[in-house]
Amino acid sequence: MTSLPLARRRRGRQVLRNTAIGWSFLLPNFAGFVVLTLVPVALLFYYAFTSWNVFGGAEWTGLENVRQMLHDASFRTALRNTLYYTVFHIPLTLVAALALALLLNQRLRGVAFFRTVAFFPYITSIVALAQVWNMLFSPGYGPINAFLRGVGVANPPGWTTSADWSMPSVIIVGTWREMGYYMLLFLAGLQTIPAQLYEAAKVDGANSWQRFRAVTLPGLRPTTFFVVVMLTIGSFKVFDVILVMTNGGPGQSTLVLSQYIYQKGFVENQFGYASTISIALFLICFVVTVVQFLINRRGSDS
């Protein structure tokens, strides 16, 4: 009779011990998340309705920052440039990454080397990459314009020094840099498609294009959805490549929302207004992502 309560107490102590051990692993990461992410995000939503700089206290201004943002011509320019970058960067990177994945999914000699080469730009310093590409795009002595002149183009583009060509230049570099990373995701997706499906399609007389449409694309649907979502969020938040290559110029031709937030907050010391623009960028990303999830769910159900 006395052994049963003793056994229960031992089990209770063991449960408490296991719980304490579990929390000892979770608490450091959770504390870091709270201090470095949750609290700053909560403060962001507060400071968005204030006039605040680092040299004084925050003064509550209500919706004044929102009214300023709606009448801010530079904000509209940054939003338009961000949409411009996003609309072209997503399909170009998606197609390039998928094409690379299909090519490097074959049994080729040295395929591992070429996969590494394709992925290498993604992990290389963006400062080094931007400097190299700026030299390649140089209107006067860059090899790209030298090649264009050699093939008969009398007036090649000014690239990063031109208001019309600066954004296409950044899109080219952004696509080249990121396609290797998304190529790896597509490679992982391709290797999950059963080989029997391709064999059955061949038996039915399907050619390469028909196998791609009927087998590869449906099999890559989850991967493609994930890649599109990640590309969308990354495109709306583009910052580093533009900051290093063009710094938003010439003029405001490549000014994007992330850089405008940085400029207002850390350059002009208007952290309240910068917080408001940050929330606007967050809401844009949130709405677009939700729409993508709804479209994907509707496509899956049909």
Side-chain angles (χ1 to χ4, degrees):
M1 297 294 292
T2 58
S3 61
L4 185 59
L6 181 60
R8 288 178 178 175
R9 286 196 298 269
R10 288 178 178 174
R11 283 197 299 269
R13 285 195 296 267
Q14 184 66 33
V15 170
L16 289 175
R17 181 187 175 190
N18 292 339
T19 302
I21 292 174
W23 277 107
S24 69
F25 284 102
L26 292 175
L27 278 178
N29 286 332
F30 183 73
F33 168 76
V34 170
V35 173
L36 300 177
T37 302
L38 190 60
V39 172
V41 168
L43 290 175
L44 173 73
F45 279 86
Y46 168 73
Y47 287 129
F49 300 97
T50 66
S51 175
W52 175 63
N53 59 66
V54 295
F55 302 109
E59 179 184 352
W60 184 265
T61 58
L63 296 176
E64 181 60 32
N65 288 336
V66 177
R67 285 191 288 269
Q68 179 183 348
M69 183 180 66
L70 295 177
H71 295 87
D72 188 350
S74 295
F75 169 77
R76 292 194 295 270
T77 299
L79 176 60
R80 184 167 55 250
N81 289 339
T82 303
L83 294 175
Y84 179 7
Y85 181 89
T86 302
V87 167
F88 287 96
H89 178 250
I90 292 175
L92 286 175
T93 307
L94 187 71
V95 171
L98 180 57
L100 269 177
L102 291 172
L103 177 63
L104 297 180
N105 194 45
Q106 309 297 321
R107 293 182 178 178
L108 304 174
R109 179 177 297 178
V111 67
F113 169 77
F114 291 109
R115 290 176 182 176
T116 304
V117 170
F119 180 72
F120 190 72
Y122 186 77
I123 59 175
T124 304
S125 168
I126 184 60
V127 176
L129 292 180
Q131 292 301 325
V132 170
W133 276 99
N134 277 340
M135 289 188 287
L136 293 175
F137 281 135
S138 175
Y141 57 85
I144 294 178
N145 278 2
F147 171 77
L148 293 176
R149 293 189 190 96
V151 297
V153 178
N155 297 306
W159 300 111
T160 55
T161 63
S162 167
D164 294 329
W165 285 94
S166 54
M167 185 59 80
S169 303
V170 172
I171 293 172
I172 291 172
V173 176
T175 299
W176 173 81
R177 182 194 178 207
E178 296 180 12
M179 64 183 182
Y181 170 73
Y182 294 106
M183 172 206 70
L184 292 182
L185 299 181
F186 277 122
L187 275 174
L190 286 170
Q191 292 170 9
T192 63
I193 302 175
Q196 294 84 350
L197 296 178
Y198 291 103
E199 295 172 0
K202 285 183 180 180
V203 171
D204 291 339
N207 55 34
S208 299
W209 173 248
Q210 290 171 332
R211 292 197 300 271
F212 174 74
R213 291 183 56 188
V215 179
T216 304
L217 286 182
L220 287 177
R221 185 185 182 94
T223 305
T224 303
F225 172 67
F226 176 76
V227 168
V228 170
V229 170
M230 296 301 295
L231 271 174
T232 301
I233 297 174
S235 298
F236 274 110
K237 297 193 305 178
V238 61
F239 174 74
D240 50 3
V241 63
I242 288 180
L243 182 67
V244 179
M245 285 192 66
T246 63
N247 197 26
Q252 292 185 333
S253 59
T254 56
L255 179 68
V256 290
L257 286 176
S258 294
Q259 186 185 7
Y260 193 50
I261 293 168
Y262 169 81
Q263 177 182 325
K264 285 298 178 182
F266 293 95
V267 178
E268 301 181 17
N269 199 20
Q270 300 180 27
F271 284 97
Y273 186 48
S275 300
T276 304
I277 304 174
S278 299
I279 292 178
L281 178 57
F282 162 75
L283 292 176
I284 292 171
C285 293
F286 178 77
V287 170
V288 172
T289 303
V290 169
V291 170
Q292 289 175 330
F293 270 93
L294 293 176
I295 294 175
N296 181 69
R297 178 178 297 180
R298 181 176 299 178
S300 300
D301 296 338
S302 60

